[in-house]
Amino acid sequence: MNLILESLKLLAILLAPFVIFTIAIHLLERLIQLRLAERFGWRSVLWTGWLGTPIHELSHAFMCRVFQHRVDEIALFEPDRQSGRLGFVRHSFQTGNWFQELGTFFIGIAPLIGGSVVLVALLWLFYPNAIDGAYAVAQSSEAAPLQQLGQIMTVVVKEIFTGANVATGRFWLFVYFVLCVGGHMAPSPSDYEGASRGVYFLGGG
């Protein structure tokens, strides 16, 4: 049991920098999307949605399976200009089933989890040394959690943002993929609404 808890703690520490980094990227990308939409029209936001939206929706669908929700309909990438929606997952569950009720929370926040996992995979694919460095710090550091998180982020940033890397096409391709995933991993208002049901259920409502 202790081994499982330690493994989960290590995973959380490794994922945390990417969640923080992605939130910052997401805010920046939303600003860029607004400017592009103003200048070039609504379809300009699709330059990242083609990749980020399917990951977002597949994350929802995966958690639906985990918590035994029925997936009634799914559109991985189906842009709708009128609603602003790029994709969707419609699911249903048995009201009163504690496991499925609890699942509404995890289904709602699933894009944050799925997006973080994909970002780690991208980092491993493009810059495996950054993953190795982060893992080494997570295993060896005896600092407090926040300090340890700072150490991991420092290692990752130093490994990626070097003069030699910035001069390569691989770096800019990596940045573009990060923008695609990070720009669409934030839950939508309807996702948060669904997740709130799970929180309400946990609170005994």
Side-chain angles (χ1 to χ4, degrees), residues 22 98 110 115 121 126 128 136 205:
T22 298
W98 73 268
F126 281 83

Side-chain angles (χ1 to χ4, degrees), residues 94-161:
Q94 182 181 346
T95 304
N97 182 306
W98 73 268
F99 185 68
Q100 295 183 20
E101 291 273 10
L102 175 64
T104 58
F105 171 74
F106 292 97
I107 292 168
I109 67 167
L112 286 173
I113 301 171
S116 295
V117 171
V118 172
L119 288 176
V120 172
L122 284 172
L123 186 60
W124 176 81
L125 181 64
F126 281 83
Y127 298 104
N129 288 341
I131 288 286
D132 293 339
Y135 185 76
V137 171
Q139 279 195 316
S140 62
S141 177
E142 297 181 357
L146 286 178
Q147 290 179 315
Q148 191 174 2
L149 178 59
Q151 292 170 352
I152 291 173
M153 292 184 70
T154 299
V155 168
V156 171
V157 169
K158 284 184 175 180
E159 185 65 37
I160 297 174
F161 294 94

Side-chain angles (χ1 to χ4, degrees), residues 20 35 73 78-79 132 187 203:
I20 294 171
R35 294 292 179 267
E73 189 177 2
E78 192 175 280
D132 293 339

Side-chain angles (χ1 to χ4, degrees), residues 11-138:
L11 179 62
I13 291 173
L14 285 172
L15 287 177
F18 302 101
V19 173
I20 294 171
F21 178 66
T22 298
I23 290 173
I25 289 293
H26 173 69
L27 293 174
L28 177 61
E29 204 254 353
R30 287 296 287 270
L31 179 62
I32 293 172
Q33 284 184 355
L34 287 173
R35 294 292 179 267
L36 285 173
E38 290 173 358
R39 192 176 186 110
F40 301 108
W42 179 78
R43 288 190 176 276
S44 62
V45 303
L46 307 183
W47 73 289
T48 56
W50 69 271
L51 177 61
T53 301
I55 292 171
H56 181 112
E57 304 305 342
L58 284 171
S59 299
H60 284 311
F62 176 79
M63 281 299 179
C64 284
R65 297 298 186 188
V66 169
F67 288 94
Q68 301 175 1
H69 285 220
R70 185 177 66 199
V71 176
D72 300 313
E73 189 177 2
I74 182 170
L76 295 183
F77 188 56
E78 192 175 280
D80 179 23
R81 181 172 185 172
Q82 186 173 359
S83 66
R85 184 184 64 198
L86 299 179
F88 61 86
V89 173
R90 297 192 178 106
H91 58 101
S92 54
F93 63 98
Q94 182 181 346
T95 304
N97 182 306
W98 73 268
F99 185 68
Q100 295 183 20
E101 291 273 10
L102 175 64
T104 58
F105 171 74
F106 292 97
I107 292 168
I109 67 167
L112 286 173
I113 301 171
S116 295
V117 171
V118 172
L119 288 176
V120 172
L122 284 172
L123 186 60
W124 176 81
L125 181 64
F126 281 83
Y127 298 104
N129 288 341
I131 288 286
D132 293 339
Y135 185 76
V137 171

